[in-house]
């Protein structure tokens, strides 16, 4: 490799950048430079992973940013002497491919793998240091076979089950959505308004792990963004309270209600059930014809409304009285039962006790329909200090009393009393504070057998069934007698059939059900005819464990080797967008805990450190095809080269911030890289020169960067690292152009330091510089030098001289100067003398070596 590009004219910089790219990309491929070391590699290990892409077309600027950051981290740890695993794969099942195939009348597989090939070319052109020997595609049977294995393992453990329930239905994509895939009442994929539909579907019992998923977030404090941790805590939404059993007149079985405030049971004045729940349907079926008709009409309207809208606090309250009554277990009062849309079928038990005086939604409903409002918490009473006086009768039983709350009564103000206070109108609970009253109320419920302490979660079980073709087939068989039969492991994978003859258009049922030759099969034990399950799995199953498959990507005997998992996992640095804070990350955490319980891995959290990057936007708005404001990755690559694009993005701002493309300067990045390259070309000292005798100021600047750079990378301050590299290039340029000249050993030391560190951000330029400087490739495998602590001690500092509180001079002085000497220098400075004039010096304050403050009269 004798050709170099250190003296290329400025107008040829782009073409030379492409030539350099091609040269070094070929070298990396031919030499497998970034291949992960094997089991005999004794270096410490580091697993760096960027969230794998969906192959929806060419790479875009979001990809350019995400994989730049992961590559910086991977390259950094190689330079620090680690054996780095930095793999790539494709999340290649899913709706976009299927919808594109429907539009084109083509096979989704063909569309998917064409896009994968295009993206792979883009990644290679971008210079990302992936280990290309470990590539995976989730749509390969060799991969999704293990999705099916995982499903069977969850089924064996009682964590996969099938039930009929209301589900989120996208009328556009004609498929079910998990709760996490509904954003503001709309499908996260296509934006269509989501409706409820009752279907029999497969679920994973993630709620069994709710406490661990919540509590283990504490392990991640300081290592994951606090925003993500809070989003997961909110989504899991643990509430502590009591399950309370209410009898329903005319019904044998009691109805259980969860409440965080069992202390307010005496304030319950009505009972509400979800109109789309089974209980409401049962009660309405036994009601008079007129009530039943009103209920059916109301239910039809409710089913058109999203859960988000139903829970909106400003939504007008609606409902239907079912002419049935529940019995309050603490006082025997009859509570009218209403069906109302602000109660959801999948929250708690789909029914609530309404305490309108102390819950705003209950209060709004009570005021709308003229229902009683009973105050049971006196929020005007002190909750600390002396207990209020409680009147008792001659037998010592407390007498319910109502303090003067007329002016604050919710029926008057329209505002529920939700603050702290003491209990009133609550029998034995009177006078107790909220905390004590809750504990006492639970004791009473447990003693009477009408309730018990309980926890409730916002989290719902993970609905994984999808009525689409392009996904992992669910490995279950259905017999005529209703039996569900798992496909034996030795018959996996259950492969997708050919699309030939299938209509993939959304119809509300899976296209696989129409593949007669595929769906009809036999029971592996009896030989009786059975049907395959026609649904496919949610693609978030694919991504819930893929980081483990990279450890054994070619194995046909195990999903992953537990020994390799023990060596490499969990992932040390995981890089991706905050939009995955709930969906992907929560599911991956769940599956990791299941695999831990199975004894296959020895850790309980999949990603030790999480880095979230911001979006790349344009003129303050998100880029999109529909808006016509896209900046195309390939066009920028062609126009400026990979390294200029990488430097421009890295320099644009902090990792977590959005970057406006209007502020990204790839032209400025080109000029910086050209300056760095010219410095390498001008170095004239020999490769083996001893640096000790070089220019002291330049050496200090070099070692200051060597000292600061590791922390900058570990703190993801990549933009600051670029700025520091630019500063060192500028100082080196001045040294070359000054008295020291290009032959000074410190110039070589600085140029080599720039080359090695620049490898993180502009690897092609770094390789070229390293070769120009007389070294064998690859610079990407060179260990960073440590800073010389002796060179980190400043020889001189800038001392500020103030006269009358104003800065009048700055002096370059020895770092170890004494106070007397510093004062003498300050008094002798002409600028200070002029500023003092004929005024009397009152006092001189010296703080060597930085400050001299002269106080004068007048």
């Amino acid at each position: 490799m004798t050709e170099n590009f250190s003296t290329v004219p400025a107008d040829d910089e782009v073409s030379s950048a492409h030539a350099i790219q091609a040269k070094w990309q070929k070298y990396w491929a031919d030499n497998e430079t970034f291949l992960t070391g094997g089991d005999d590699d004794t270096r410490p290990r580091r697993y760096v992973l960027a969230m794998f892409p969906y192959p929806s077309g060419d790479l875009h600027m979001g990809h350019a940013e995400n994989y730049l950051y992961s590559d910086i981290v991977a390259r950094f740890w190689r330079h620090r002497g680690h054996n780095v695993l930095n793999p790539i794969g494709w999340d290649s099942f899913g709706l976009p491919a299927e919808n594109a195939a429907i539009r084109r009348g083509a096979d989704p597989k063909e569309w998917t793998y064409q896009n994968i090939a295009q993206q792979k070319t883009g990644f290679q052109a971008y210079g990302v240091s992936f280990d290309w020997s470990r590539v995976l595609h989730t749509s390969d049977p060799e991969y999704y076979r293990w999705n099916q294995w995982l499903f069977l393992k969850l089924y064996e453990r009682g964590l996969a089950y099938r039930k009929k329930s209301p589900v989120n239905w996208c009328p556009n994509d004609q498929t079910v959505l998990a709760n996490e895939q509904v954003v503001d009442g709309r499908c996260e994929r296509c934006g269509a308004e989501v409706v409820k539909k009752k279907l029999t579907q497969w679920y994973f019992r993630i709620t069994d792990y709710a406490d661990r998923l919540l509590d283990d977030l504490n392990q991640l404090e300081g290592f994951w963004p606090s925003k993500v941790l809070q989003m997961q805590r909110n989504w899991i939404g643990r509430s502590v309270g009591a399950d309370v059993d209410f009898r329903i007149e005319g019904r044998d079985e009691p109805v259980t209600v969860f409440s965080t405030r069992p202390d307010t049971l005496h304030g319950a004045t009505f009972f509400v059930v979800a109109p789309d729940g089974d209980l409401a349907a049962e009660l309405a079926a036994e009601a008079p014809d007129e009530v039943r008709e009103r209920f059916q009409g109301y239910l039809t309207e409710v089913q058109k409304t999203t859960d988000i809208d139903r829970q909106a606090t400003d939504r007008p309250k609606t409902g239907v009285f079912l002419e049935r009554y529940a019995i309050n277990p603490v006082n025997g009062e009859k509570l009218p039962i209403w069906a109302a849309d602000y109660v959801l079928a999948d929250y708690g038990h789909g029914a609530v006790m309404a305490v309108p005086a102390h819950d705003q939604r209950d209060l709004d409903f009570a005021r709308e329909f003229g229902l009683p409002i009973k105050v049971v918490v006196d929020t005007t009473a002190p909750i600390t200090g002396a207990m209020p006086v409680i009147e008792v009768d001659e037998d010592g039983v407390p007498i319910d009393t109502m303090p003067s709350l007329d002016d604050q009564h919710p029926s008057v103000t329209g505002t529920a009393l939700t603050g702290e206070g003491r209990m009133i109108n609550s029998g034995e609970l009177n006078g107790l504070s909220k905390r004590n009253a809750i504990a006492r109320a639970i004791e009473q419920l447990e003693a009477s057998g009408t309730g018990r302490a309980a926890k409730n979660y916002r989290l719902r079980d993970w609905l994984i069934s999808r009525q689409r073709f392009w996904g992992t087939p669910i490995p279950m068989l259905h017999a005529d007698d209703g039996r569900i039969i798992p496909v034996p492991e030795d018959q996996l994978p259950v492969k997708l059939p050919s699309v030939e003859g299938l209509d993939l258009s959304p119809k509300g049922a899976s296209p696989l059900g129409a593949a007669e030759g595929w769906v009809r099969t036999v029971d592996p034990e009896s030989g009786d005819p059975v049907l395959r399950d026609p649904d496919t799995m949610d693609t978030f199953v694919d991504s819930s464990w893929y980081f483990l498959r990279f450890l054994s990507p070619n194995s046909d005997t195990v999903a992953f080797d537990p020994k390799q998992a023990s060596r490499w996992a969990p992932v040390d640095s995981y890089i991706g967008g905050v939009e995955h804070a709930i969906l992907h990350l929560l599911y991956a955490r769940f599956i990791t805990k299941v695999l831990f319980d199975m004894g296959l891995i020895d850790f309980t959290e999949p990603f030790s450190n999480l880095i979230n990057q911001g979006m790349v936007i344009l003129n303050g708005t998100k880029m999109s095809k529909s808006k016509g404001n896209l900046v195309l990755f390939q066009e920028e690559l062609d126009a400026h080269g990979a390294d200029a694009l990488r430097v421009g993005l890295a320099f644009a701002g902090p990792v977590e911030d959005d970057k406006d493309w209007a502020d990204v300067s790839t032209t400025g990045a080109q000029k910086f890289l050209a300056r760095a390259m010219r410095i390498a070309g001008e170095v004239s000292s020999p490769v083996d020169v001893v640096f000790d005798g070089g220019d002291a100021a330049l050496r200090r600047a070099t070692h200051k960067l060597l000292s600061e750079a590791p922390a900058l990378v570990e703190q993801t301050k990549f933009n600051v690292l670029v700025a520091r590299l630019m500063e060192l290039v500028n100082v080196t340029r001045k040294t070359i152009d000054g008295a020291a000249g290009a032959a000074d050993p410190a110039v070589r030391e600085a140029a080599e330091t720039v080359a090695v560190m620049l490898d993180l951000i502009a690897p092609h330029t770094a390789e070229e510089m390293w070769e120009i400087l007389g070294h064998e490739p690859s610079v990407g495998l060179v260990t960073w030098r440590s800073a010389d602590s002796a060179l980190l001690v400043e020889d001189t500092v800038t001392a500020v001289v103030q006269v009358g509180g104003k800065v009048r001079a700055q002096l370059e002085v020895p770092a170890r100067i004494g106070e007397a000497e510093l004062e003498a220098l300050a008094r002798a400075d002409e600028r200070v003398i002029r500023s003092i004039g004929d005024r009397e010096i009152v006092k001189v304050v010296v703080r060597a070596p930085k400050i001299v403050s002269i106080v004068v009269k007048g």
Side-chain angles (χ1 to χ4, degrees), residues 679-681 683 687 748 751-752 755 768-775:
I679 285 173
V683 171
V687 173
R748 169 172 283 280
E752 290 186 358
E768 191 68 17
M769 288 178 66
W770 194 244
E771 184 182 65
I772 290 168
L773 288 164
H775 296 288

Side-chain angles (χ1 to χ4, degrees), residues 280-346:
E282 175 194 326
L283 297 177
E286 299 170 1
D289 291 347
E290 182 183 346
V291 174
R292 189 161 59 250
E293 289 174 9
R294 282 204 308 270
F295 171 76
Q296 288 299 332
Y298 182 62
L299 176 60
T300 299
E301 292 303 312
V302 169
Q303 289 174 330
K304 298 176 184 177
T305 310
T306 67
D307 287 355
I308 299 294
D309 287 339
R310 286 170 62 176
Q311 293 191 293
T313 56
D314 58 351
R315 180 179 173 79
K317 294 296 179 282
T318 61
V320 173
F321 176 39
L322 299 178
E323 296 194 10
R324 298 288 293 277
Y325 292 86
I327 307 302
N328 191 326
V330 299
N331 57 21
E333 291 181 359
K334 292 170 63 174
L335 308 178
I337 301 177
W338 289 71
D341 64 357
Y342 74 93
V343 174
L344 304 180
D346 60 355

Side-chain angles (χ1 to χ4, degrees), residues 14-165:
V14 175
S15 59
S16 69
H18 286 297
I20 291 170
Q21 283 173 210
K23 169 182 173 180
W24 290 109
Q25 286 164 14
K26 184 177 187 303
Y27 175 87
W28 296 333
D30 290 347
N31 291 274
E32 297 182 321
T33 304
F34 306 117
L35 205 65
T36 309
D39 291 351
D40 57 349
D41 194 313
T42 59
R43 291 176 295 169
R45 291 174 292 277
R46 200 82 183 184
Y47 189 175
V48 178
L49 184 63
M51 296 180 186
F52 63 169
Y54 185 82
S56 56
D58 197 3
L59 298 176
H60 53 65
M61 283 303 162
H63 292 124
E65 181 190 29
N66 190 35
Y67 296 100
L68 165 64
Y69 294 154
S70 65
D71 198 41
I72 289 173
V73 175
R75 288 175 178 274
F76 169 74
W77 287 109
R78 286 195 200 95
H79 285 298
R80 304 296 283 178
H82 284 62
N83 181 12
V84 174
L85 171 58
N86 182 28
I88 184 63
W90 276 268
D91 190 11
S92 48
F93 268 144
L95 279 173
E98 189 163 340
N99 289 340
I102 292 168
R103 289 194 299 271
R104 293 169 172 79
D107 188 332
K109 180 176 181 179
E110 179 183 332
W111 183 86
T112 297
Y113 286 89
Q114 285 175 351
N115 286 338
I116 288 173
Q118 184 180 26
Q119 289 191 356
K120 180 178 179 180
T121 299
F123 279 132
Q124 291 171 327
Y126 198 42
V128 187
S129 61
F130 291 134
D131 178 348
W132 287 103
S133 72
R134 294 174 181 258
V135 174
L136 63 80
H137 315 119
T138 61
S139 53
D140 289 347
E142 294 79 9
Y143 183 89
Y144 69 73
R145 163 190 181 175
W146 300 109
N147 280 347
Q148 293 169 342
W149 168 84
L150 180 62
F151 180 99
L152 294 176
K153 292 303 177 187
L154 267 67
Y155 184 75
E156 288 173 9
R157 301 176 72 84
L159 295 173
Y161 69 98
R162 199 165 181 254
K163 71 173 181 179
K164 188 172 187 178
S165 63

